[in-house]
Structure formats: C-alpha cells, structure tokens
Amino acid sequence: SSQFSGEPTSYTRFSIARQTDGDNSHVEMNLAADEEEGREIGRPEHLHASMPSPRRNGKNLCFVIMAAALLLLIGFLIGYLSYRGRMQRVNRCLDGSGNCEMTPTASYYSDDGTEEEEVRGPRILYWPELRKMLSSKLSTACLEANLRQREGKNSFEAGKAEDESTASHIHDQFTSFRMDDVWNDEHYVRLQDKGSRRNQVFIIEDGQEEVLESPDAYVAYSKSGTVTGKPVYVNYGRKEDFQEIRNLGVSMNGAIIIFRAGEITLAEKVANARKEGAVGVLMYLGPSKDRKADSYVPFAHAHLGTGDPFTPGFPSFNHTQFPPVESSGLPQIPVQTISREAAARLFGKMDGDKCLEEWRAEIMGCKVTVSGSSKMTVKLTVNNVMVDRKILNIFGVIKGFEEPDRYVVLGAQRDSWGPGAAKAGVGTAILLELARVISDMVKNDDYKPRRSIIFASWSAGEYGAVGATEWLEGYSTTLHAKAFTYINLDTAVLGSADIKISASPLLYSLLETTMKRVKDPANDSRFLGSRFESDWIKKVVPLDLDNAAFPFLAYSGIPVVSFGFYDEGDEYAFLGTTEDTLANLKRKTVNLYPLMYTAAEVAGQIALRMTHDHELFLDLDRYSDELLSFQEKLGHFSGKVKDLGLTLNWLYFVRGDFQRAADALRRDIENSDRENRIVRRALNDRMMKVEHDFLSPYLSPKDAPFRHIFFGRGSHTLKSLLENLEQLAANKSSVDVNELKEQMALATWTIKGAANALVGDIWNTDNKI
C-alpha cells in the first residue's frame, strides 16, 4: 500500500474501522519497519552461516530443526506480546480515555554499527485529540470582537459601501491567518432598491383615501406600480389556507391578499396568491412577546428562486454581455410588508366574517374580508427601482494534504438591509473564528487535513442567496464532483431554548455523533445530544428558499447542514428589520457568546471530521430509510392507481435496487484496503455522488433549477407526486393522468439512476427492473 500512499517506508500503517462511541473514524497505528520485523520473529540474517555442511547425521538434523522451531516460538511470543501491548494502547485511544499519541520513529545505524540519534517521523493527530484542540482554541472573546465589527452601522446592503468594506476586512483577515490561498469572485447582478419615494398603503372608503402606512422597508423584486382591490386575509398563504378561503366562497380574483409571516417563504405566499388572481400582496410579522415588535416592518424579497433572477441558470460574471432574461419566479404583482399595528387597523376597517380561531394570531378584530355591501378597498403603491451592482464573494482555503481537489465549504451571508446582527453578523463572526482556529491548527499544531476546507463569505444573500447561487452556477460542472459538504452558518443564534436543524439525510449520523460530543451551553454537565429524543430526525426542518444551503442541495446536489439555536413559539422578532441590532440580540439571548461558541464547535467538528477521516462520514442508509418511508406513503394509493391501469410496483422495485446498491458499497468499503489511496478515493467518490444522483437528469437546469427529487421544487419531486396522488384519492376527475404517469416515470428512473451510480461499474448494475 505504501506504493500508492506515499507514506515513509520505515513504518507501516493500518486502520481500525470503528470507535467504541460509534464514530466511523480510522486510527492509524505505526508498526515496526519490515526489515526489522523480519529479525524480530526469529529469522536472523546469519542463520545460514551457522549451518553445518550438508553431510550430517539424522541426530544433528533433528537438533537443528528443534532449535529452529524453538527460536520461531520465542519470536512469535515476543511479537504477540508486543502487538497486544500496542492494541491496548490503541483501545485507550478509541474510547478517548488515554493518551493515544504514537509518534512514528526510525532508527539509523552508522557504518560501524553504533546507533545514531533517533529521528522522529510526522506527528499524527487522532480524532479525540483533534476535537479537544478545536474546543480549546475557540474563543468567545474573538467571537465577540468579530460580531462587534457591525456595531454603530445602520446597513450593509449588498454592493454598497459597508458591504464592500466588510468584504475587504474579511479578505484581510483570511490573509492574516496565512491561508493557502485567498481570493474573491466578482459578480454583476441586477437587484432592486427602494425608489426616491416611499411605498404606501391606503384605505379607501367613500372615495376618501387614508394612509395606512408608508414604511421605509420594501420587498425586493416586487412589481412597481399602483393597484387597488378588496382585502382578503389568507393566514400563512399556504395551499391549504387558500383552500379554506375557497370553501368559504370568497373570491380572490382582483383582491389584495393579506398574510402573516411564517411557515413558508414570502415568495411562495406571493406565488400562491398570484395563481388565485390576486393583484397585490401585504404581509406582516407574526406575534411576539416583545410588544415593540408590533411597529416593526421587515425587508424581504419575492423572487420564487435563488440567484440573480435576470440570469436564471447562468452565472452573472458580466451580465452586460447578454440581454437580460427574466426568471419565471418573479412575482409580476406589487408586494409590500407592513407592521402588525397597521394590520390591526386594517382588520378594524373590515366588516366581513371573523377569522378562523387558529388564524387570529393574537390580533384583535381579525376578519377574512369585507362584507358584500362594503365599498372599502385597499390601494397599494410600490416605487421600487432596478439597479445593477457589483457584488463580491470572498474565499479562503486550507488545502488538503492528500486530496486538495476535494473540499468541504463553510459559508455565511455578509450583507443585510439593516444592522443584521443575527441575520449576518453571527454567521460571519463564526466563519472568521473557525478560519482563524483551523488555520492555527494546521500552521502551528501539525494538523494535516486530508481534504481541503473552503471558507466563503457571500454577498446579496438578502435577495435570495444571490452570491452563493451565482458561484454555484459559475462552477456547476466541477463543484458537484469536488465539494462534498456545505455547512451553513447563517442565523446560528436566534434564541437559546431550542435547536433547529436542516440537513441532507447523508449527514444525519455525523450530526448526531457530533452533538453527543459538544457540551450544552445551558448546562455544562451535559451534551447537546441530550436535548433530542431518539426520533429527533422527525423534527428536522426542510430547507426553504431563503436558506443559503438550499441551492447547494437542490441545485448542485451537494450534502448540506444548517444548525442553530432559537426559541420555539417566541421567534426573534427583529430578524430582517432595522432593529436587528447587537443590543436587541443580546437582550433576546442572555448567553449569546457561549451559544455562538457552541454553534462554532458543531460546525468546526463537522468540517474537521469530513477532512480528517479516511472515509467520508456519509450515511447511505439514511436515504434508504427516506425511500422506505416514501414507499409506505405510496401504499395508501395503490388501489386508486390500479383503477387507472397503472402500477406502483416499479417504484417499489427501484427502492429495493437502491438498498442493494447501498449494501454492496458498504461491503466494498469493509473489504477494501483503506491505506490504498486510489481505492479509498474511488469509494469516497461513489458516496459523494449519491446526493447529486438524486437530481433528476431528465430536466433542464435552466427551466427547473431545483431538480432534487427529495428537496427540490416542481412537479418532478416525490412530494409533488404524493400531492397528486392525494388529489386523485379526493377527486379522480381533477387529476391529469398523463402528468401523473410522467411524475411516476421521472421518480422511477431517477431513483434507478442513483442506484446504478452507487454500484459503480456498469457490469455490476442490477438491471432486473
């Protein structure tokens, strides 16, 4: 194996596959040099010189054989006892209870046979030691200093002076950490800014206009113009909420729809409203224990997608060279956010039916709409303007020592419409601290990551992960084959009582293992893992369009994890407003800096583990579980599908194919030589590609950018297929059978393709479908 691994020939290494705490790491153990081993087991080089001449009697021959056997036995016992002692030491390493450091050495002899000074080989850092080193180097003082960089500044709007100044500071910090390379990407994007006059909302009664509100905040990518319509309240704006309104017989055509924030993104609410024929949209913040929040108006964007909506599917390196093409996700209707106070006054003017009990959101006088005899309407004027701006993404990299072209990416949004302490400040502070600490471990503590670690600071995140998406679009042909994990640091601290996790199933096991080794900031005597029940996976929150990790997963097919603290039932009311200040964040989270430290430790451990171990810590069985869960849901519709002359059996078959392919890869890993770098890289690549193989290859990335069948958006997803089957069960005539057939075919062959790719070689593919 040393022929391929490039290790020193003076010692041999092998791996032990599993730690006692369930971690799939590999402990490297240094054995004696091969030539010394030969002498150790009782085969002295001078043995042939002591042999008698071939002409000897049987008694002498017997004596020689017995002596040789005795020497072999003694050598075996010495070797066994030596090996056993080393294994005991390794076991102490595996359970984390002892000092497992074993530094390889080599002895050299001069020509006269005298032993010279012992020469030390490279130091090896084992996972328990690496984990402790990370914890000891992380500093709450440094995190605080990083976060205070935003104090006293009112806005960090993408492409403007404060955003560029922060980008320059991050670039300088990365350089000072002595990273292997620091660079930036420039993108020329089309954003939307507020106009010279504020947007306005009016109430019109008996021909008289009354200004309801004229907020400073605006919604990016809203259509500019003036519209008038009757107000209709539709709760969160979900599909089921619109169905409730239809059941009440309320027409929404030509109406101005009112929503409260939450559950789904504003862009999704607007898209649902537009389908119902609405001419405009208003949204207000949900309830908060902080009464001052009633006057806050959030900024937002209404693009149903990510990235620059005028270069959909293409990178905006220089859009001036090409005519702009509008994304189909642009809303085409005016959209504006308002305060809870304004919403309450508006409800007070409406005289229609009262809201459903679960829709009231602690607003007095909540109404669904106006009465049939009412002449009251709402007028909305939006004055937003389009602007072209240059934005910068800043990168720093610590290159891997074995596979520098394989990397994990840690990223955080840098820009914000207001001070952005929670929205962008916390994530950026954690990004800088992890860059400092991991660089220090590599430069000063002999840590040699196998794979590279990229640190990324994104701009224009407020507009829908524009900076991150443009980077992915610019390097789409290579990133999915090189980047194997994205760790999102945005909004890592919005509270303290609860933990919010969004992640690819491939990373569930690593996340669970990590949380069992990170101390809980609320109670230093326990670990974070104690906060979760055994079925914690059911509480994983699906990624939405406003999470920068979404395009990595749904567009590029890269496994992602997003981790943070919040207070369930008491959301951070300042997010996205001009009141998202450090003072308000500290008042909401008493242990702000310990919470940031813990979030940094979780992200750091994941990044280090993915670059330290021989094998990538990606759990294929989790996707097998997801497919099994999907199959169980399909089973409820088997009879209805059969009535159409169709069958679900093909979907059942390909789920079995994927399970067998995952089992085969696991056997290949268990039976492989982990010290053979060529074999190990090939096996890791097969695991890396699993996520990407769930991007449907039958769709155009331009027309359907989020092609992931589990986490994407569109009719090709497994969620959309289940929704269509539910509609079939409720009303057979309302379902397009040809569309259903296409959905089943897309799902079947995408899963089959993922199974085939997992197998590896074409001759091993299971084609029994």
Side-chain angles (χ1 to χ4, degrees):
S1 64
S2 60
Q3 179 181 352
F4 301 103
S5 65
E7 298 294 340
T9 57
S10 60
Y11 66 97
T12 305
R13 301 163 65 195
F14 72 94
S15 297
I16 296 179
R18 186 173 295 273
Q19 294 186 1
T20 55
D21 64 357
D23 296 0
N24 295 325
S25 62
H26 313 293
V27 179
E28 298 175 346
M29 183 172 177
N30 312 319
L31 303 182
D34 293 338
E35 62 271 16
E36 292 174 2
E37 240 179 310
R39 291 192 293 271
E40 227 177 61
I41 59 174
R43 288 178 292 182
E45 296 176 358
H46 62 274
L47 185 61
H48 65 278
S50 64
M51 292 291 184
S53 61
R55 297 181 64 183
R56 57 185 176 267
N57 58 32
K59 183 177 180 180
N60 289 340
L61 181 60
C62 181
F63 175 78
V64 169
I65 292 173
M66 290 176 65
L70 182 60
L71 286 172
L72 286 171
L73 180 60
I74 292 171
F76 172 78
L77 289 173
I78 292 172
Y80 171 74
L81 291 174
S82 173
Y83 175 74
R84 183 181 178 187
R86 288 170 180 160
M87 287 304 296
Q88 288 173 342
R89 192 171 187 184
V90 169
N91 287 335
R92 290 198 300 274
C93 173
L94 293 176
D95 63 15
S97 62
N99 178 15
C100 59
E101 178 71 37
M102 289 182 291
T103 306
T105 61
S107 295
Y108 294 86
Y109 293 85
S110 62
D111 292 337
D112 61 3
T114 59
E115 187 174 355
E116 293 185 344
E117 182 181 356
E118 190 177 71
V119 179
R120 284 185 172 273
R123 182 186 179 197
I124 297 174
L125 290 172
Y126 296 94
W127 175 242
E129 184 181 1
L130 198 61
R131 188 176 63 219
K132 292 175 183 175
M133 185 183 296
L134 172 71
S135 299
S136 66
K137 287 179 176 290
L138 287 171
S139 164
T140 54
C142 290
L143 287 165
E144 179 177 1
N146 291 338
L147 185 54
R148 288 191 178 278
Q149 289 287 326
R150 301 180 83 88
E151 271 194 309
K153 299 171 184 175
N154 296 324
S155 176
F156 294 80
E157 195 167 338
K160 291 189 176 181
E162 288 297 348
D163 177 46
E164 290 194 352
S165 175
T166 306
S168 178
H169 170 71
I170 292 171
H171 190 284
D172 291 344
Q173 288 289 95
F174 283 173
T175 302
S176 71
F177 299 152
R178 297 184 298 155
M179 289 189 169
D180 294 315
D181 202 356
V182 179
W183 74 100
N184 63 273
D185 267 4
E186 293 183 356
H187 297 276
Y188 295 85
V189 298
R190 181 159 293 183
L191 306 177
Q192 196 177 54
D193 204 346
K194 58 187 175 183
S196 57
R197 290 175 293 126
R198 287 190 175 190
N199 299 337
Q200 290 185 302
V201 183
F202 302 88
I203 294 175
I204 303 176
E205 285 185 297
D206 301 323
Q208 299 295 314
E209 289 187 0
E210 174 190 348
V211 176
L212 177 66
E213 195 163 52
S214 183
D216 184 53
Y218 68 98
V219 175
Y221 300 124
S222 163
K223 181 179 180 180
S224 296
T226 299
V227 293
T228 304
K230 71 176 183 180
V232 178
Y233 176 57
V234 195
N235 196 26
Y236 289 114
R238 300 166 299 186
K239 291 180 180 179
E240 55 266 36
D241 296 327
F242 279 100
Q243 185 60 50
E244 288 283 358
I245 295 296
R246 286 194 292 269
N247 293 342
L248 293 173
V250 177
S251 172
M252 290 169 280
N253 190 46
I256 290 182
I257 305 297
I258 308 165
F259 302 123
R260 57 170 163 160
E263 297 296 322
I264 59 175
T265 64
L266 173 58
E268 291 170 295
K269 299 174 193 285
V270 174
N272 290 339
R274 189 183 170 201
K275 289 178 183 177
E276 299 295 332
V279 296
V281 164
L282 300 173
M283 187 188 76
Y284 64 90
L285 288 173
S288 171
K289 293 180 180 179
D290 188 330
R291 303 316 302 175
K292 291 193 302 181
D294 288 352
S295 63
Y296 300 156
V297 181
F299 291 82
H301 76 89
H303 175 216
L304 189 66
T306 65
D308 182 351
F310 294 93
T311 58
F314 303 104
S316 294
F317 284 120
N318 192 345
H319 74 272
T320 58
Q321 296 179 7
F322 307 97
V325 178
E326 284 195 11
S327 164
S328 60
L330 287 173
Q332 305 301 329
I333 58 175
V335 185
Q336 179 59 45
T337 49
I338 59 175
S339 67
R340 278 176 57 82
E341 289 177 348
R345 291 199 302 274
L346 178 55
F347 284 133
K349 296 283 187 177
M350 296 162 61
D351 61 353
D353 294 334
K354 290 183 178 181
C355 297
L356 299 173
E357 182 67 32
E358 59 271 24
W359 285 21
R360 294 184 183 178
E362 300 179 14
I363 283 190
M364 298 296 294
C366 177
K367 306 288 196 315
V368 172
T369 186
V370 295
S371 65
S373 60
S374 175
K375 301 297 182 182
M376 194 268 276
T377 58
V378 172
K379 177 182 173 182
L380 170 61
T381 298
V382 174
N383 301 307
N384 299 353
V385 294
M386 290 294 179
V387 293
D388 293 331
R389 286 196 194 138
K390 180 184 76 173
I391 62 170
L392 299 173
N393 292 328
I394 309 300
F395 301 93
V397 64
I398 297 171
K399 294 181 180 178
F401 285 75
E402 288 188 12
E403 298 180 272
D405 61 338
R406 298 291 186 267
Y407 31 82
V408 58
V409 183
L410 295 101
Q413 170 183 327
R414 183 180 69 248
D415 67 296
S416 61
W417 273 302
K423 190 70 177 286
V426 167
T428 299
I430 293 173
L431 179 74
L432 288 172
E433 177 63 355
L434 286 173
R436 180 190 70 83
V437 168
I438 298 176
S439 294
D440 185 57
M441 292 168 64
V442 173
K443 303 301 181 185
N444 301 318
D445 294 286
D446 295 328
Y447 175 50
K448 293 179 170 51
R450 298 181 191 281
R451 307 169 193 95
S452 300
I453 304 174
I454 293 178
F455 300 87
S457 174
W458 312 115
S459 185
E462 294 280 42
Y463 295 84
V466 172
T469 302
E470 295 308 313
W471 186 64
L472 291 170
E473 290 176 343
Y475 304 98
S476 60
T477 55
T478 59
L479 278 177
H480 76 272
K482 296 178 180 292
F484 52 85
T485 301
Y486 177 70
I487 303 170
N488 183 39
L489 304 175
D490 293 338
T491 60
V493 181
L494 298 175
S496 58
D498 302 287
I499 296 174
K500 180 181 287 187
I501 294 171
S502 299
S504 160
L506 290 174
L507 294 172
Y508 286 170
S509 293
L510 174 55
L511 192 56
E512 185 174 25
T513 299
T514 300
M515 289 191 296
K516 289 179 179 178
R517 293 295 181 186
V518 174
K519 292 291 183 65
D520 190 331
N523 186 345
D524 196 52
S525 64
R526 68 179 188 181
F527 294 98
L528 276 181
S530 63
R531 292 199 188 194
F532 292 91
E533 304 293 336
S534 57
D535 61 345
W536 67 273
I537 292 173
K538 294 180 180 178
K539 297 182 180 180
V540 171
V541 180
L543 288 168
D544 61 40
L545 288 164
D546 287 344
N547 191 313
F550 179 80
F552 278 85
L553 180 62
Y555 174 78
S556 293
I558 297 169
V560 303
V561 60
S562 185
F563 171 93
F565 294 95
Y566 78 116
D567 295 328
E568 188 173 5
D570 183 21
E571 299 288 341
Y572 180 70
F574 312 102
L575 196 67
T577 74
T578 55
E579 299 301 316
D580 182 14
T581 62
L582 179 56
N584 281 331
L585 181 59
K586 289 176 70 175
R587 191 168 72 249
K588 181 70 167 65
T589 54
V590 179
N591 298 319
L592 173 60
Y593 300 116
L595 287 164
M596 289 174 63
Y597 175 97
T598 302
E601 190 173 9
V602 170
Q605 282 201 26
I606 292 173
L608 290 177
R609 195 64 186 270
M610 294 298 278
T611 55
H612 167 270
D613 290 0
H614 287 75
E615 295 161 16
L616 295 179
F617 205 137
L618 299 174
D619 190 349
L620 306 177
D621 288 337
R622 298 295 188 172
Y623 262 124
S624 295
D625 294 342
E626 292 289 323
L627 287 170
L628 183 59
S629 175
F630 172 66
Q631 179 177 313
E632 291 170 352
K633 294 174 182 176
L634 283 179
H636 301 299
F637 308 104
S638 182
K640 296 292 183 181
V641 172
K642 190 174 182 180
D643 291 342
L644 296 176
L646 304 174
T647 178
L648 296 173
N649 287 343
W650 301 116
L651 282 166
Y652 299 158
F653 294 156
V654 294
R655 187 209 68 80
D657 289 346
F658 185 86
Q659 178 67 66
R660 287 189 291 275
D663 293 342
L665 177 54
R666 194 180 306 104
R667 286 194 301 270
D668 287 348
I669 293 172
E670 290 171 354
N671 296 330
S672 67
D673 175 9
R674 290 183 175 89
E675 288 304 319
N676 187 320
R677 294 186 186 179
I678 295 176
V679 171
R680 190 174 69 220
R681 181 180 171 98
L683 292 171
N684 282 336
D685 283 353
R686 283 165 64 184
M687 286 192 284
M688 277 178 58
K689 292 176 183 177
V690 170
E691 199 77 74
H692 185 264
D693 291 331
F694 281 122
L695 303 183
S696 179
Y698 307 102
L699 302 172
S700 163
K702 178 182 178 298
D703 299 328
F706 308 123
R707 295 176 293 144
H708 203 295
I709 61 171
F710 284 96
F711 303 106
R713 293 290 187 274
S715 61
H716 62 282
T717 62
L718 302 184
K719 179 183 178 182
S720 180
L721 172 57
L722 286 173
E723 288 175 352
N724 224 356
L725 290 173
E726 289 170 357
Q727 188 65 27
L728 175 67
N731 183 0
K732 180 179 177 180
S733 62
S734 66
V735 174
D736 184 334
V737 177
N738 288 329
E739 181 185 359
L740 182 62
K741 287 180 179 178
E742 183 173 327
Q743 284 181 308
M744 293 171 62
L746 284 173
T748 299
W749 289 110
T750 301
I751 298 170
K752 178 61 178 175
N756 290 347
L758 197 57
V759 167
D761 294 313
I762 193 68
W763 49 84
N764 292 325
T765 302
D766 182 355
N767 287 317
K768 294 182 180 179
I769 185 171

